[in-house]
Amino acid sequence: MQNGGFTVFGQVIDNGMDVADAISELPRFNLGGAANSIPLQDYTNDDATNGREPDGDNFVLITDIVVTDAATVTNPDLTPVPNTLIDNDSDPTPPSSSGSSGGAMHPLALLVIAVTTIVFRRRKKR
C-alpha cells in the first residue's frame, strides 16, 4: 500500500497501538483533494451515497501527543547520506507574504487528529 511518500519514525507505548489499530480499521472515504483516504467513524457508504456530509462527530480527532525523548540523535548508528542539494552558504529565501497557505493538511496531522479523537472518546466513555 502506498503511503503518499511520507514516513514517520516513532515508538508507540502503552495502549497506543490499540488506538492506531482502531483508526486503521475505520472505513476510508474520499473527501476530495488531499483528503482522498480519510478514516471516518459512525459514517457509512450509504451516508455518502445519500449525500450526507460527514460532520465533526465522524472525524477522528487526536488531542494528545507526548514526546518522551526530544533528542536530535536517537540512534547514533544511523548514517544518513548528506543532502548535497542544500547550499549552506547562501541566504535562505524569505517566506512569501502573499497570504495563502494553500489549505492542504499534511497526512501526519490527520493521523494525529485521528488517534487523539479515539483516545479522548475512550477516556470520556469511562
Side-chain angles (χ1 to χ4, degrees), residues 29-113:
F29 295 88
N30 183 347
L31 301 181
N36 61 4
S37 182
I38 300 297
L40 296 174
Q41 54 193 357
D42 302 322
Y43 189 82
T44 66
N45 283 325
D46 288 339
D47 292 326
T49 301
N50 293 327
R52 181 179 155 285
E53 295 289 326
D55 60 26
D57 290 333
N58 302 119
F59 291 98
V60 180
L61 178 65
I62 299 171
T63 59
D64 296 309
I65 295 177
V66 177
V67 177
T68 58
D69 182 1
T72 303
V73 178
T74 57
N75 187 343
D77 297 329
L78 290 178
T79 54
V81 177
N83 185 347
T84 58
L85 301 176
I86 298 175
D87 182 4
N88 290 328
D89 295 332
S90 65
D91 290 333
T93 304
S96 170
S97 60
S98 62
S100 176
S101 64
M105 185 176 278
H106 191 280
L108 178 57
L110 293 174
L111 177 63
V112 170
I113 291 168

Side-chain angles (χ1 to χ4, degrees), residues 2 24 31 34 48 57 70 76 90 114-115 124:
Q2 176 59 265
S24 72
L31 301 181
D57 290 333
S90 65
V115 171
K124 194 175 182 181

